[in-house]
């Protein structure tokens, strides 16, 4: 039985199954969602729709969104951050508000849910139909600027 062809066929099948199980990627787990209220500012001079991601000295990710259009100072700027492993999706949420208090030119929010790792980040603004993608190592002082297209 040990030297038969059937034994070697079964042994090869079992070995292939074990290799297949070991080589399967680990599940990424559930997607975690965090919500952040932001602030609006009317004094920003950069009118080009863009996003600046800056890591402060405490390892928090500061998001500056320039070139807001049609958002009043009475409106709102917030972010929904979805984390799946090292993939991060930041969804911008805008509320236009009343323009009588002036028009907002910039939004700001501080994200504190990311650890000191390298993340692949996608920034989306459903209200404007614009987005940007970049990779960033969450390390104090790192910064990246992307135009929203």
């Amino acid at each position: 039985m040990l030297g038969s062809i059937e034994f070697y066929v079964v042994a090869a099948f079992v070995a292939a199954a074990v290799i297949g199980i070991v080589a399967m990627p680990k599940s990424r787990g559930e997607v975690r969602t965090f919500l952040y209220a932001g602030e609006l500012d009317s004094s920003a001079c950069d009118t080009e729709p863009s996003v600046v991601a800056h890591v402060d000295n405490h390892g928090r990710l500061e998001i500056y969104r320039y070139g807001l259009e049609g958002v009043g100072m009475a409106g709102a700027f917030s972010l929904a951050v979805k984390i799946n492993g090292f993939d991060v999706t930041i969804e911008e949420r805008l509320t236009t508000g009343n323009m009588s208090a002036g028009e907002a030119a910039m939004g700001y929010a501080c994200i504190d849910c990311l650890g000191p790792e390298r993340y692949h980040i996608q920034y989306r603004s459903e209200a404007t139909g614009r987005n940007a993608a970049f990779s960033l190592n969450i390390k104090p002082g790192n910064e990246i600027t992307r135009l929203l297209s």
Side-chain angles (χ1 to χ4, degrees), residues 17-112:
V18 168
I19 290 172
I21 290 171
V22 171
M24 280 179 39
K26 293 183 177 27
S27 66
R28 300 174 86 177
E30 63 185 52
V31 175
R32 296 176 296 147
T33 302
F34 300 88
L35 303 174
Y36 294 95
E39 301 172 10
L40 293 171
D41 188 358
S42 62
S43 64
C45 57
D46 190 356
T47 59
E48 188 77 29
S50 61
V51 63
V52 175
H54 172 77
V55 183
D56 71 6
N57 291 334
H58 302 288
R60 298 176 298 200
L61 182 62
E62 299 177 328
I63 299 290
Y64 298 91
R65 167 62 159 92
Y66 294 99
L68 292 176
E69 296 173 351
V71 178
M73 287 301 293
F77 171 79
S78 63
L79 300 176
V81 179
K82 296 180 181 179
I83 304 171
N84 188 0
F86 296 111
D87 296 328
V88 177
T89 302
I90 301 174
E91 295 178 1
E92 173 185 280
R93 297 178 178 175
L94 297 173
T95 303
T96 56
N98 191 345
M99 293 288 200
S100 63
E103 187 172 0
M106 181 195 75
Y108 164 81
C110 185
I111 299 170
D112 60 2

